[in-house]
Amino acid sequence: MQRQLSDEDRAFQQEMRTFFTTVAPQDIRDANAAGGEPDPDVIRRAQRLLNEHGLAVPHWPVEYGGKQWTELQHHIYRTEMQQANFPTPLPFNVSMIGPVLATFGSKELKDRFLPATANLDIWWCQGFSEPDAGSDLAGLRTTAVREGDEYVVNGQKTWTTLGQHADWIFALVRTDPNAPKKQMGISMLLIKMDSPGLTLRPIKLIDGGHEVNEVFFDNVRVPADQLVGEENKGWDYAKFLLGNERVGVAPVGSIKRKLADAKAFAAQTKRADGTLLDDPLLAARIAELETDLMALELTVMRVAGGSKDGKPDPASSILKLRGSQLQQDVLELVADIAGAAGLSWTANDDVPAWAASATPTYLNFRKASIYGGSNEVQRSIISGGILGLKG
């Protein structure tokens, strides 16, 4: 089997590479390469530059900034962006609520929110998970009761990523507690984060960072015209949103870059007889990861090229599963190369910045097993939907 880009796709690849390595400012790329907690100003600058050049929302409808690219071109775009260390557009805006509004929102909601969403003039966060409704999302208990031209919202959301920077939250709420099935009676509301009665509390993670939050609603009044689509149809919109989230979830470009960094770090680490890169066991480990990564990229190209009608191939579950595993394997390699220096977490004269960040980055990316649909869910899809096995 031979997989290679056509002349047209190769020219497109060069166009993207030139943009992300020459037009994209170096300070934005350096800030993203440094890792750690995302800088909201850097993310806004990056997305606004993309939007200025028509590259922020290529998968949206053309009238709202879309490009009508092929799925393979979308893959090339994402890969070149990741390899250049340029921040990806905010997923809550471009991959989640944007496509939902473009597909199910009223003309008023589209005109009001989509341009500002593409340009990151509005920063969105996601209000789905609750303390007892994570993987079992349909078990959510936050309620919204209609009173005249408003909904009154009460309840709690959790694991709200980057909510501390958000202007708005798109939230799933229960509007019909007597619906015959728990997936029914759910609606999607758009809520301002500075609404009276809404409070946010940070959750500190194992890497020491503040990336996620709890959000509490205490009689928060929401104008009824901020309902997305139809009342009690929110579950359909949520499934659509989660399907989009999985597209492009195998970060081939990022893994390539991190593996190249790992080799450079090993070459900098001195031993009595040379450098750590001379160790045959480490070299074999790197070679195995490079082989696995090449296989993943070929599969991504094959699956992306085979997608139809804008819908992800069911095999995207394999990409999500292997992509998250390889990402974690490469970060574990970096932590092992750092060795005892990785226990510092603070750079100093004896501990370079890459070694100080190795362990917290490794710990932070354990999340890759969960977001975009947990790896256990992907295995169920692969066994039942692809292999035809029944448990």
Side-chain angles (χ1 to χ4, degrees), residues 112 146 149-151 189-190 195 221-227:
R112 179 180 177 186
R146 181 74 180 257
D149 293 333
E150 296 178 318
Y151 288 95
L189 288 178
L190 310 178
S195 300
R221 306 192 78 86
V222 180
D225 63 1
Q226 291 169 200
L227 171 74

Side-chain angles (χ1 to χ4, degrees), residues 100-121:
V100 168
L101 291 175
T103 305
F104 303 106
S106 64
K107 179 71 164 54
E108 290 73 19
L109 287 183
K110 292 175 184 176
D111 292 345
R112 179 180 177 186
F113 288 111
L114 286 180
T117 297
N119 202 48
L120 200 43
D121 296 330

Side-chain angles (χ1 to χ4, degrees), residues 142-161:
T142 295
T143 60
V145 178
R146 181 74 180 257
E147 289 186 3
D149 293 333
E150 296 178 318
Y151 288 95
V152 181
V153 181
N154 284 283
Q156 177 187 353
K157 299 293 179 181
T158 192
W159 307 122
T160 308
T161 304

Side-chain angles (χ1 to χ4, degrees), residues 97-257:
I97 191 60
V100 168
L101 291 175
T103 305
F104 303 106
S106 64
K107 179 71 164 54
E108 290 73 19
L109 287 183
K110 292 175 184 176
D111 292 345
R112 179 180 177 186
F113 288 111
L114 286 180
T117 297
N119 202 48
L120 200 43
D121 296 330
I122 293 175
W123 185 307
W124 290 94
C125 63
Q126 183 182 27
F128 279 20
S129 295
E130 299 185 2
D132 296 317
S135 298
D136 182 22
L137 183 58
L140 64 88
R141 293 185 293 183
T142 295
T143 60
V145 178
R146 181 74 180 257
E147 289 186 3
D149 293 333
E150 296 178 318
Y151 288 95
V152 181
V153 181
N154 284 283
Q156 177 187 353
K157 299 293 179 181
T158 192
W159 307 122
T160 308
T161 304
L162 302 181
Q164 69 269 38
H165 306 307
D167 306 297
W168 288 74
I169 183 171
F170 50 92
L172 293 178
V173 294
R174 190 163 295 286
T175 41
D176 182 1
N178 300 315
K181 294 183 178 179
K182 61 182 182 180
Q183 290 83 359
M184 304 170 71
I186 293 173
S187 300
M188 184 180 290
L189 288 178
L190 310 178
I191 306 172
K192 291 192 72 172
M193 290 296 284
D194 61 358
S195 300
L198 188 154
T199 57
L200 181 143
R201 186 165 66 188
I203 299 174
K204 193 168 184 177
L205 296 179
I206 192 172
D207 66 352
H210 170 202
E211 188 174 328
V212 295
N213 304 270
E214 296 174 289
V215 180
F216 299 89
F217 302 88
D218 182 9
N219 289 316
V220 175
R221 306 192 78 86
V222 180
D225 63 1
Q226 291 169 200
L227 171 74
V228 176
E230 299 179 45
E231 190 175 270
N232 299 326
K233 295 290 186 182
W235 188 248
D236 294 337
Y237 312 147
K239 288 191 297 183
F240 176 85
L241 182 151
L242 293 171
N244 283 329
E245 186 182 7
R246 199 181 308 149
V247 175
V249 79
V252 171
S254 293
I255 300 172
K256 275 185 177 180
R257 176 171 45 75

